[in-house]
Amino acid sequence: MAARNAGTARPGGPNRTCQFKLVLLGESAVGKSSLVLRFVKGQFHEYQESTIGAAFLTQTVCLDDATIKFEIWDTAGQERYHSLAPMYYRGAQAAIVVYDITNQESFQKAKNWVKELQRQASPNIVMALAGNKADVANKRTVEYEEANAYAEDNALLFMETSAKTSMNVNDIFMAIAKKLPIGPAQGEPTGTVDMNQPQQQQKGSCCK
Amino acid sequence: MYVFNFYPIPRKSINFRSDVDDLGFLRPWSPQEESGCKKQYEAWYSSYLPIVVRRRCRWEKENPRRNSHLLQRFVRKGIPHTFRKELWLRSCPSRADGVWQRHEVPDEVIKQIKLDLPRTFPDNKFLKTEGTRKTLGRALFAVAEHIPSVGYCQGLNFVAGVILLVVNDESRAIDLLVHLVSQRQEYYGKNMIGLRRDMHVLHSLLREHCPRVVVTLEKLDVGLDMLVGKWFVCWFVESLPMETVLRLWDCLIYEGDEWLFRIAVALFRSNMIAISSCESIDQLMTEVQNIGTSKAALYCHQLILKSAALSITNKSIEALRADAELAIPE
């Protein structure tokens, strides 16, 4: 495997762009849109407008040997929009199920989403569990250990995140990117791969 | 800055120096917004203002209320802002007349409403205030109280917000909200059957009116729900410029749901080339999101006239809905 350049893009290098569909699921007001907004635009609004139906955004990140373009579907959280959810996770290669660490009910809801994805989504989907609002850990009702154990049992990536402080936001998307199949030629990326910070419109600067 | 001294100054003239419009919304070119489209808006408004002024004069001179056919024509050409509240409320029953029964509202519904109050137009000058947020809460509670099959559905918060801001009278605004939602209960009910049904209807209409768009959607395997579900849930609020939304609502309230379809089809037709040349979902979503800021969306008067010319009627919609109901599961 080629020597790794710590986190810098290499124009003209042996790089490919792979597109992946990623869906965010979880109860209303747990911070799905805020996580996406932080990841894609680096912004945070204390009061994020309720998402109706779903929002679509893209963000490109560079791994060492490939460029990953996420096509992100950020879905509405309210129960009745659930009937629309299958068309968003159908064919998705990745999913982030989000709950609010200060809201036990939202954790239960997240578990239901995980179950539904295990049953209905494509079998190779890379799933992550995000315990959001980690900045208000003093109001926590979902213990880290509890969620972590659940994630381990179900082979999910797991991080506590904060869209407000940006804690672990890029990291969770990067962790997903690393687990995505980036093509047969160079095999599975293994070990620790350095990645640069995601920025908008990187497409032109690196790869392909 | 526009000064049309030779016209009587209409109540709803745009003060381009202000970053906030009459209804308290940030203008699309304000520093907080991203689009940077002031020039485009100025060009549009310089062509629109004379229309607004002329319509206002015609309304005052001819009083179209005396004849329903005349009124329909006048409504389509735009209700002057001074008369908008009156016309929107024209055939709206009052809760005080006991038209709607009261039902108990589950705690869960109240919780959901409360969560969304600060998440409804958080940048709007009026809805930012505690008082107006509470009014919004009472309005959404009233829907839940009178229409238990709906309770609270996300999206209604934006609809309610616009009604409150335009009607500017809590009690009558709530009457209108309950009235309009009661006409579309199946949209906001448990499985949102109405929405799914109408997406089938829209698909049929697009097949007829802009088949190239349908070919692209089918090629890319994208459902209309994913693209434009929000248009129908929120009656285009947040998807189109505010003046366009108000003009569309004039027709929607006076004539009915056919107008949601007319506008949707007209927008797809106006952007057909860009949409039908998309080769990926990414491109398609970008183009569809661009519709909201397209020239067709901004030039509301022309959009309404174009939409009015489409052969889409409430009767044809009802027929398509009956067919669609057979096609959707549950």
Side-chain angles (χ1 to χ4, degrees):
Chain A
M1 216 175 261
R4 288 189 167 120
N5 266 343
T8 49
R10 290 163 302 162
N15 232 321
R16 294 157 295 154
T17 300
C18 309
Q19 296 203 13
F20 293 99
K21 177 177 174 186
L22 181 150
V23 62
L24 278 102
L25 299 163
E27 207 188 357
S28 188
V30 295
K32 297 178 292 299
S33 304
S34 295
L35 285 173
V36 176
L37 192 68
R38 174 62 81 187
F39 174 58
V40 174
K41 297 186 178 165
Q43 296 172 353
F44 176 78
H45 302 308
E46 193 65 40
Y47 294 113
Q48 174 68 33
E49 290 201 342
S50 350
T51 305
I52 309 305
F56 178 84
L57 291 104
T58 60
Q59 174 64 297
T60 304
V61 298
C62 291
L63 296 183
D64 207 33
D65 43 12
T67 300
I68 304 282
K69 179 168 178 187
F70 283 116
E71 297 180 348
I72 304 168
W73 289 95
D74 168 28
T75 63
Q78 200 187 13
E79 181 63 36
R80 68 192 65 191
Y81 283 90
H82 197 134
S83 59
L84 306 174
M87 69 180 127
Y88 296 108
Y89 62 67
R90 187 172 55 119
Q93 287 99 345
I96 303 181
V97 178
V98 187
Y99 68 94
D100 166 358
I101 67 160
T102 70
N103 178 347
Q104 180 64 230
E105 230 179 289
S106 73
F107 182 53
Q108 298 310 316
K109 204 58 192 292
K111 289 181 181 173
N112 293 344
W113 277 118
V114 171
K115 259 186 234 149
E116 179 165 338
L117 289 173
Q118 286 166 339
R119 253 194 347 257
Q120 317 258 26
S122 72
N124 302 323
I125 192 168
V126 175
M127 267 194 269
L129 180 69
N132 194 37
K133 307 197 185 176
D135 51 287
V136 278
N138 56 337
K139 290 190 192 155
R140 120 179 4 257
T141 58
V142 183
E143 291 307 322
Y144 180 89
E145 292 72 21
E146 183 190 1
N148 194 40
Y150 171 78
E152 275 180 13
D153 289 348
N154 289 275
L156 315 173
L157 287 165
F158 170 63
M159 286 184 201
E160 287 197 339
T161 58
S162 166
K164 188 171 183 172
T165 66
S166 79
M167 166 188 148
N168 278 345
V169 176
N170 288 345
D171 310 65
I172 197 162
F173 283 92
M174 287 301 187
I176 290 169
K178 281 196 225 172
K179 283 187 77 174
L180 288 166
I182 54 164
Q186 293 166 3
E188 301 256 307
T190 51
T192 51
V193 181
D194 285 309
M195 292 161 287
N196 58 348
Q197 292 297 301
Q199 289 154 13
Q200 251 183 305
Q201 299 303 326
Q202 278 181 328
K203 295 176 261 186
S205 71
C206 65
C207 343
K208 208 174 166 184
Chain B
M1 177 59 197
Y2 282 88
V3 185
F4 287 84
N5 284 329
F6 43 94
Y7 287 117
I9 300 294
R11 279 260 305 267
K12 196 177 164 47
S13 66
I14 290 190
N15 172 5
F16 276 90
R17 277 179 301 197
S18 166
D19 277 348
V20 177
D21 70 15
D22 291 1
L23 297 179
F25 290 104
L26 286 176
R27 296 205 187 282
W29 59 80
S30 72
Q32 291 93 320
E33 297 282 334
E34 290 164 14
S35 46
C37 49
K38 187 166 180 172
K39 274 227 159 66
Q40 200 193 355
Y41 268 79
E42 284 179 337
W44 159 70
Y45 196 67
S46 67
S47 73
Y48 188 56
L49 182 64
I51 297 170
V52 171
V53 173
R54 191 171 67 235
R55 294 319 303 166
R56 170 105 187 256
C57 295
R58 293 289 299 273
W59 272 77
E60 280 169 356
K61 207 168 116 202
E62 293 186 37
N63 183 21
R65 298 164 192 79
R66 62 202 157 86
N67 167 329
S68 68
H69 186 70
L70 187 66
L71 185 56
Q72 186 201 57
R73 234 182 57 212
F74 268 65
V75 167
R76 287 183 176 188
K77 288 183 177 176
I79 304 174
H81 198 64
T82 9
F83 304 131
R84 187 161 267 142
K85 173 182 167 183
E86 173 216 322
L87 267 296
W88 281 15
L89 290 167
R90 193 175 146 90
S91 52
C92 170
S94 159
R95 283 167 305 143
D97 299 336
V99 194
W100 296 289
Q101 295 193 321
R102 286 189 174 194
H103 303 265
E104 203 174 318
V105 179
D107 289 347
E108 179 55 32
V109 172
I110 297 175
K111 204 176 98 190
Q112 288 175 18
I113 290 174
K114 278 189 179 159
L115 266 181
D116 274 353
L117 296 181
R119 308 207 302 148
T120 307
F121 302 124
D123 295 328
N124 182 281
K125 185 174 120 189
F126 302 110
L127 279 163
K128 251 198 273 208
T129 65
E130 197 54 34
T132 315
R133 267 186 201 162
K134 281 189 176 155
T135 311
L136 178 67
R138 289 192 289 272
L140 294 170
F141 182 85
V143 171
E145 192 178 34
H146 294 299
I147 316 174
S149 67
V150 169
Y152 172 63
C153 178
Q154 286 190 319
L156 288 180
N157 51 330
F158 295 110
V159 168
V162 171
I163 291 177
L164 283 176
L165 293 170
V166 171
V167 173
N168 197 19
D169 161 351
E170 176 172 340
S171 174
R172 286 302 274 158
I174 294 177
D175 287 342
L176 183 60
L177 175 66
V178 174
H179 176 59
L180 294 176
V181 174
S182 74
Q183 294 173 331
R184 295 166 180 83
Q185 296 185 31
E186 68 281 19
Y187 250 84
Y188 304 103
K190 227 176 128 218
N191 282 319
M192 308 188 74
I193 297 273
L195 174 66
R196 290 193 283 165
R197 174 201 64 201
D198 280 0
M199 291 298 107
H200 276 265
V201 173
L202 180 61
H203 196 267
S204 310
L205 291 172
L206 290 177
R207 194 186 293 285
E208 185 189 334
H209 293 275
C210 28
R212 288 175 62 189
V213 168
V214 174
V215 170
T216 306
L217 297 185
E218 285 174 356
K219 189 178 77 192
L220 297 175
D221 192 22
V222 183
L224 279 165
D225 329 40
M226 298 169 87
L227 295 181
V228 298
K230 187 176 177 181
W231 289 4
F232 282 69
V233 171
C234 298
W235 314 342
F236 290 94
V237 174
E238 288 248 289
S239 301
L240 294 181
M242 206 52 198
E243 182 66 16
T244 310
V245 169
L246 295 175
R247 288 289 305 272
L248 151 66
W249 280 35
D250 290 345
C251 301
L252 177 71
I253 291 171
Y254 190 70
E255 294 186 62
D257 283 356
E258 61 177 85
W259 274 92
L260 295 175
F261 293 100
R262 284 176 186 274
I263 297 288
V265 170
L267 288 170
F268 272 112
R269 273 170 72 117
S270 299
N271 294 277
M272 184 156 68
I273 294 170
I275 290 172
S276 55
S277 51
C278 288
E279 286 176 347
S280 68
I281 290 183
D282 182 11
Q283 284 174 359
L284 178 65
M285 288 309 297
T286 309
E287 287 305 332
V288 171
Q289 281 165 357
N290 287 344
I291 289 179
T293 52
S294 67
K295 202 171 169 195
L298 183 58
Y299 284 71
C300 52
H301 196 67
Q302 291 76 357
L303 177 67
I304 298 280
L305 297 183
K306 255 186 281 175
S307 305
L310 292 167
S311 58
I312 297 171
T313 61
N314 282 325
K315 213 171 147 199
S316 63
I317 296 298
E318 285 317 315
L320 288 170
R321 279 178 169 170
D323 292 344
E325 264 159 18
L326 302 172
I328 48 174
E330 285 160 272

Short mmCIF file of all heavy atoms in Angstrom, two decimals, chain B residues 274-317:
data_model
loop_
_atom_site.label_atom_id
_atom_site.label_comp_id
_atom_site.label_asym_id
_atom_site.label_seq_id
_atom_site.Cartn_x
_atom_site.Cartn_y
_atom_site.Cartn_z
N ALA B 274 -33.40 21.93 -16.89
CA ALA B 274 -32.38 21.67 -15.87
C ALA B 274 -32.64 20.35 -15.16
O ALA B 274 -31.72 19.57 -14.91
CB ALA B 274 -32.36 22.82 -14.87
N ILE B 275 -33.91 20.10 -14.84
CA ILE B 275 -34.23 18.90 -14.09
C ILE B 275 -34.05 17.64 -14.94
O ILE B 275 -33.47 16.65 -14.50
CB ILE B 275 -35.65 18.98 -13.52
CG1 ILE B 275 -35.68 20.02 -12.40
CG2 ILE B 275 -36.14 17.64 -13.00
CD1 ILE B 275 -37.04 20.36 -11.89
N SER B 276 -34.51 17.72 -16.17
CA SER B 276 -34.47 16.48 -16.96
C SER B 276 -33.06 16.15 -17.46
O SER B 276 -32.82 15.06 -17.95
CB SER B 276 -35.47 16.54 -18.11
OG SER B 276 -35.23 17.68 -18.88
N SER B 277 -32.13 17.11 -17.32
CA SER B 277 -30.77 16.74 -17.73
C SER B 277 -29.91 16.25 -16.57
O SER B 277 -28.71 16.02 -16.73
CB SER B 277 -30.10 17.92 -18.45
OG SER B 277 -30.22 19.07 -17.68
N CYS B 278 -30.52 16.07 -15.40
CA CYS B 278 -29.76 15.57 -14.24
C CYS B 278 -29.38 14.11 -14.43
O CYS B 278 -30.18 13.31 -14.92
CB CYS B 278 -30.59 15.69 -12.97
SG CYS B 278 -30.78 17.38 -12.43
N GLU B 279 -28.16 13.80 -14.01
CA GLU B 279 -27.72 12.42 -14.17
C GLU B 279 -27.45 11.72 -12.85
O GLU B 279 -27.06 10.55 -12.83
CB GLU B 279 -26.48 12.38 -15.07
CG GLU B 279 -26.90 12.62 -16.50
CD GLU B 279 -25.75 12.70 -17.46
OE1 GLU B 279 -24.60 12.80 -17.00
OE2 GLU B 279 -26.01 12.66 -18.68
N SER B 280 -27.62 12.45 -11.75
CA SER B 280 -27.45 11.80 -10.45
C SER B 280 -28.45 12.39 -9.48
O SER B 280 -29.01 13.47 -9.72
CB SER B 280 -26.03 12.04 -9.93
OG SER B 280 -25.89 13.42 -9.62
N ILE B 281 -28.67 11.68 -8.40
CA ILE B 281 -29.61 12.16 -7.38
C ILE B 281 -29.11 13.46 -6.79
O ILE B 281 -29.88 14.39 -6.54
CB ILE B 281 -29.76 11.09 -6.28
CG1 ILE B 281 -30.52 9.90 -6.87
CG2 ILE B 281 -30.50 11.63 -5.08
CD1 ILE B 281 -30.82 8.81 -5.91
N ASP B 282 -27.82 13.54 -6.64
CA ASP B 282 -27.18 14.74 -6.13
C ASP B 282 -27.54 15.97 -6.98
O ASP B 282 -28.03 16.98 -6.47
CB ASP B 282 -25.66 14.48 -6.14
CG ASP B 282 -24.87 15.63 -5.59
OD1 ASP B 282 -25.48 16.54 -5.00
OD2 ASP B 282 -23.63 15.61 -5.74
N GLN B 283 -27.35 15.82 -8.30
CA GLN B 283 -27.70 16.91 -9.20
C GLN B 283 -29.20 17.23 -9.15
O GLN B 283 -29.61 18.39 -9.11
CB GLN B 283 -27.37 16.53 -10.65
CG GLN B 283 -25.89 16.58 -10.99
CD GLN B 283 -25.64 16.05 -12.39
OE1 GLN B 283 -26.54 15.62 -13.11
NE2 GLN B 283 -24.38 16.05 -12.79
N LEU B 284 -29.98 16.18 -9.13
CA LEU B 284 -31.43 16.36 -9.14
C LEU B 284 -31.88 17.13 -7.90
O LEU B 284 -32.67 18.07 -7.98
CB LEU B 284 -32.12 14.99 -9.19
CG LEU B 284 -33.64 15.01 -9.16
CD1 LEU B 284 -34.20 15.68 -10.40
CD2 LEU B 284 -34.20 13.60 -9.04
N MET B 285 -31.37 16.72 -6.74
CA MET B 285 -31.77 17.40 -5.50
C MET B 285 -31.35 18.86 -5.53
O MET B 285 -32.08 19.73 -5.08
CB MET B 285 -31.14 16.71 -4.29
CG MET B 285 -31.72 15.37 -3.94
SD MET B 285 -33.51 15.36 -3.80
CE MET B 285 -33.76 16.48 -2.42
N THR B 286 -30.17 19.11 -6.07
CA THR B 286 -29.71 20.50 -6.16
C THR B 286 -30.64 21.31 -7.06
O THR B 286 -31.05 22.42 -6.71
CB THR B 286 -28.27 20.54 -6.73
OG1 THR B 286 -27.48 19.64 -5.95
CG2 THR B 286 -27.67 21.92 -6.63
N GLU B 287 -30.99 20.75 -8.20
CA GLU B 287 -31.89 21.47 -9.11
C GLU B 287 -33.25 21.72 -8.47
O GLU B 287 -33.82 22.80 -8.61
CB GLU B 287 -32.07 20.71 -10.43
CG GLU B 287 -30.86 20.75 -11.34
CD GLU B 287 -30.39 22.17 -11.67
OE1 GLU B 287 -31.21 23.11 -11.66
OE2 GLU B 287 -29.18 22.35 -11.92
N VAL B 288 -33.76 20.72 -7.78
CA VAL B 288 -35.08 20.89 -7.16
C VAL B 288 -35.01 21.95 -6.05
O VAL B 288 -35.90 22.78 -5.91
CB VAL B 288 -35.63 19.55 -6.63
CG1 VAL B 288 -36.88 19.76 -5.80
CG2 VAL B 288 -35.95 18.63 -7.80
N GLN B 289 -33.90 21.91 -5.29
CA GLN B 289 -33.76 22.94 -4.27
C GLN B 289 -33.61 24.33 -4.90
O GLN B 289 -34.06 25.32 -4.34
CB GLN B 289 -32.56 22.63 -3.36
CG GLN B 289 -32.93 21.54 -2.33
CD GLN B 289 -31.72 20.91 -1.64
OE1 GLN B 289 -30.57 21.23 -1.93
NE2 GLN B 289 -31.99 20.00 -0.72
N ASN B 290 -33.01 24.38 -6.08
CA ASN B 290 -32.86 25.66 -6.77
C ASN B 290 -34.17 26.23 -7.29
O ASN B 290 -34.26 27.42 -7.59
CB ASN B 290 -31.89 25.53 -7.96
CG ASN B 290 -30.45 25.41 -7.48
OD1 ASN B 290 -30.15 25.70 -6.32
ND2 ASN B 290 -29.57 24.97 -8.35
N ILE B 291 -35.17 25.37 -7.43
CA ILE B 291 -36.46 25.86 -7.93
C ILE B 291 -36.97 27.01 -7.07
O ILE B 291 -37.47 28.00 -7.56
CB ILE B 291 -37.51 24.72 -7.95
CG1 ILE B 291 -37.18 23.72 -9.06
CG2 ILE B 291 -38.92 25.28 -8.15
CD1 ILE B 291 -38.15 22.56 -9.15
N GLY B 292 -36.78 26.88 -5.76
CA GLY B 292 -37.28 27.89 -4.84
C GLY B 292 -36.69 29.27 -5.06
O GLY B 292 -37.32 30.28 -4.72
N THR B 293 -35.49 29.33 -5.63
CA THR B 293 -34.89 30.63 -5.87
C THR B 293 -34.84 30.94 -7.37
O THR B 293 -34.20 31.89 -7.79
CB THR B 293 -33.45 30.68 -5.31
OG1 THR B 293 -32.73 29.55 -5.80
CG2 THR B 293 -33.44 30.65 -3.79
N SER B 294 -35.52 30.11 -8.14
CA SER B 294 -35.49 30.32 -9.60
C SER B 294 -36.31 31.54 -9.97
O SER B 294 -37.13 32.03 -9.18
CB SER B 294 -36.04 29.09 -10.32
OG SER B 294 -37.43 28.93 -10.04
N LYS B 295 -36.09 32.03 -11.17
CA LYS B 295 -36.84 33.19 -11.65
C LYS B 295 -38.33 32.87 -11.67
O LYS B 295 -39.17 33.71 -11.30
CB LYS B 295 -36.33 33.54 -13.06
CG LYS B 295 -36.61 34.96 -13.41
CD LYS B 295 -35.94 35.39 -14.70
CE LYS B 295 -36.53 36.76 -15.06
NZ LYS B 295 -36.25 37.16 -16.43
N ALA B 296 -38.66 31.67 -12.07
CA ALA B 296 -40.08 31.29 -12.14
C ALA B 296 -40.74 31.41 -10.77
O ALA B 296 -41.91 31.80 -10.66
CB ALA B 296 -40.20 29.86 -12.65
N ALA B 297 -40.00 31.09 -9.71
CA ALA B 297 -40.56 31.14 -8.37
C ALA B 297 -40.70 32.57 -7.87
O ALA B 297 -41.62 32.91 -7.14
CB ALA B 297 -39.69 30.33 -7.41
N LEU B 298 -39.77 33.40 -8.26
CA LEU B 298 -39.76 34.79 -7.78
C LEU B 298 -40.81 35.64 -8.47
O LEU B 298 -41.51 36.43 -7.83
CB LEU B 298 -38.36 35.37 -8.01
CG LEU B 298 -38.11 36.79 -7.50
CD1 LEU B 298 -38.35 36.88 -6.00
CD2 LEU B 298 -36.68 37.21 -7.82
N TYR B 299 -40.95 35.45 -9.77
CA TYR B 299 -41.92 36.26 -10.52
C TYR B 299 -43.31 35.68 -10.31
O TYR B 299 -43.87 35.00 -11.16
CB TYR B 299 -41.51 36.34 -12.00
CG TYR B 299 -40.36 37.30 -12.20
CD1 TYR B 299 -39.08 36.99 -11.75
CD2 TYR B 299 -40.55 38.56 -12.79
CE1 TYR B 299 -38.02 37.88 -11.89
CE2 TYR B 299 -39.49 39.45 -12.93
CZ TYR B 299 -38.23 39.10 -12.47
OH TYR B 299 -37.19 40.00 -12.60
N CYS B 300 -43.87 35.98 -9.13
CA CYS B 300 -45.08 35.30 -8.67
C CYS B 300 -46.29 35.58 -9.55
O CYS B 300 -47.11 34.70 -9.78
CB CYS B 300 -45.35 35.66 -7.22
SG CYS B 300 -45.38 37.42 -6.88
N HIS B 301 -46.40 36.81 -10.02
CA HIS B 301 -47.58 37.15 -10.82
C HIS B 301 -47.62 36.29 -12.09
O HIS B 301 -48.65 35.69 -12.42
CB HIS B 301 -47.52 38.64 -11.19
CG HIS B 301 -48.83 39.18 -11.67
ND1 HIS B 301 -49.93 39.29 -10.84
CD2 HIS B 301 -49.22 39.63 -12.89
CE1 HIS B 301 -50.94 39.79 -11.54
NE2 HIS B 301 -50.54 40.01 -12.78
N GLN B 302 -46.47 36.20 -12.74
CA GLN B 302 -46.38 35.39 -13.95
C GLN B 302 -46.59 33.91 -13.64
O GLN B 302 -47.23 33.19 -14.40
CB GLN B 302 -45.01 35.60 -14.63
CG GLN B 302 -44.80 36.98 -15.24
CD GLN B 302 -44.51 38.09 -14.21
OE1 GLN B 302 -44.52 37.86 -13.00
NE2 GLN B 302 -44.27 39.30 -14.70
N LEU B 303 -46.05 33.48 -12.49
CA LEU B 303 -46.21 32.08 -12.10
C LEU B 303 -47.70 31.74 -11.91
O LEU B 303 -48.17 30.69 -12.36
CB LEU B 303 -45.43 31.79 -10.81
CG LEU B 303 -45.58 30.37 -10.25
CD1 LEU B 303 -44.94 29.34 -11.18
CD2 LEU B 303 -44.96 30.25 -8.85
N ILE B 304 -48.41 32.62 -11.23
CA ILE B 304 -49.83 32.36 -10.99
C ILE B 304 -50.60 32.35 -12.32
O ILE B 304 -51.43 31.46 -12.55
CB ILE B 304 -50.43 33.45 -10.06
CG1 ILE B 304 -49.74 33.43 -8.69
CG2 ILE B 304 -51.94 33.28 -9.93
CD1 ILE B 304 -50.20 32.38 -7.72
N LEU B 305 -50.29 33.28 -13.21
CA LEU B 305 -51.01 33.31 -14.49
C LEU B 305 -50.71 32.06 -15.31
O LEU B 305 -51.61 31.46 -15.90
CB LEU B 305 -50.64 34.58 -15.28
CG LEU B 305 -51.03 35.91 -14.62
CD1 LEU B 305 -50.70 37.09 -15.51
CD2 LEU B 305 -52.50 35.94 -14.21
N LYS B 306 -49.43 31.65 -15.29
CA LYS B 306 -49.07 30.42 -16.00
C LYS B 306 -49.80 29.21 -15.41
O LYS B 306 -50.29 28.34 -16.12
CB LYS B 306 -47.55 30.16 -15.86
CG LYS B 306 -46.74 30.46 -17.11
CD LYS B 306 -45.28 30.04 -16.92
CE LYS B 306 -44.50 31.06 -16.12
NZ LYS B 306 -43.13 30.71 -15.79
N SER B 307 -49.86 29.19 -14.08
CA SER B 307 -50.50 28.06 -13.40
C SER B 307 -52.00 28.04 -13.68
O SER B 307 -52.60 26.98 -13.82
CB SER B 307 -50.29 28.17 -11.89
OG SER B 307 -48.93 28.27 -11.60
N ALA B 308 -52.57 29.24 -13.76
CA ALA B 308 -54.01 29.32 -14.00
C ALA B 308 -54.37 28.76 -15.37
O ALA B 308 -55.47 28.26 -15.57
CB ALA B 308 -54.47 30.78 -13.88
N ALA B 309 -53.42 28.85 -16.29
CA ALA B 309 -53.70 28.39 -17.65
C ALA B 309 -53.62 26.87 -17.78
O ALA B 309 -54.04 26.31 -18.79
CB ALA B 309 -52.71 29.04 -18.62
N LEU B 310 -53.10 26.18 -16.77
CA LEU B 310 -53.00 24.71 -16.85
C LEU B 310 -54.37 24.08 -16.69
O LEU B 310 -55.20 24.56 -15.91
CB LEU B 310 -52.07 24.19 -15.74
CG LEU B 310 -50.59 24.55 -15.85
CD1 LEU B 310 -49.87 24.23 -14.54
CD2 LEU B 310 -49.94 23.79 -17.01
N SER B 311 -54.58 23.01 -17.42
CA SER B 311 -55.88 22.35 -17.33
C SER B 311 -55.91 21.39 -16.15
O SER B 311 -55.95 20.18 -16.30
CB SER B 311 -56.18 21.61 -18.62
OG SER B 311 -55.15 20.67 -18.85
N ILE B 312 -55.84 21.96 -14.96
CA ILE B 312 -55.91 21.15 -13.73
C ILE B 312 -57.03 21.73 -12.90
O ILE B 312 -57.02 22.93 -12.59
CB ILE B 312 -54.58 21.23 -12.96
CG1 ILE B 312 -53.43 20.63 -13.78
CG2 ILE B 312 -54.69 20.52 -11.61
CD1 ILE B 312 -52.05 20.87 -13.18
N THR B 313 -58.01 20.91 -12.57
CA THR B 313 -59.15 21.44 -11.79
C THR B 313 -59.37 20.55 -10.57
O THR B 313 -58.87 19.42 -10.51
CB THR B 313 -60.44 21.40 -12.63
OG1 THR B 313 -60.70 20.03 -12.96
CG2 THR B 313 -60.30 22.23 -13.89
N ASN B 314 -60.14 21.06 -9.63
CA ASN B 314 -60.47 20.24 -8.47
C ASN B 314 -61.12 18.93 -8.90
O ASN B 314 -60.90 17.89 -8.29
CB ASN B 314 -61.39 21.01 -7.53
CG ASN B 314 -60.60 22.03 -6.70
OD1 ASN B 314 -59.45 21.78 -6.33
ND2 ASN B 314 -61.19 23.17 -6.45
N LYS B 315 -61.91 19.00 -9.96
CA LYS B 315 -62.59 17.80 -10.43
C LYS B 315 -61.59 16.76 -10.96
O LYS B 315 -61.67 15.58 -10.61
CB LYS B 315 -63.59 18.18 -11.53
CG LYS B 315 -64.82 17.32 -11.53
CD LYS B 315 -65.85 17.87 -12.50
CE LYS B 315 -66.64 16.70 -13.09
NZ LYS B 315 -67.33 17.06 -14.32
N SER B 316 -60.63 17.24 -11.75
CA SER B 316 -59.65 16.29 -12.28
C SER B 316 -58.77 15.74 -11.16
O SER B 316 -58.36 14.58 -11.16
CB SER B 316 -58.80 16.93 -13.39
OG SER B 316 -58.04 18.01 -12.90
N ILE B 317 -58.49 16.59 -10.16
CA ILE B 317 -57.70 16.12 -9.01
C ILE B 317 -58.46 15.03 -8.25
O ILE B 317 -57.88 14.00 -7.88
CB ILE B 317 -57.39 17.30 -8.05
CG1 ILE B 317 -56.51 18.35 -8.72
CG2 ILE B 317 -56.72 16.81 -6.77
CD1 ILE B 317 -55.17 17.89 -9.15
#
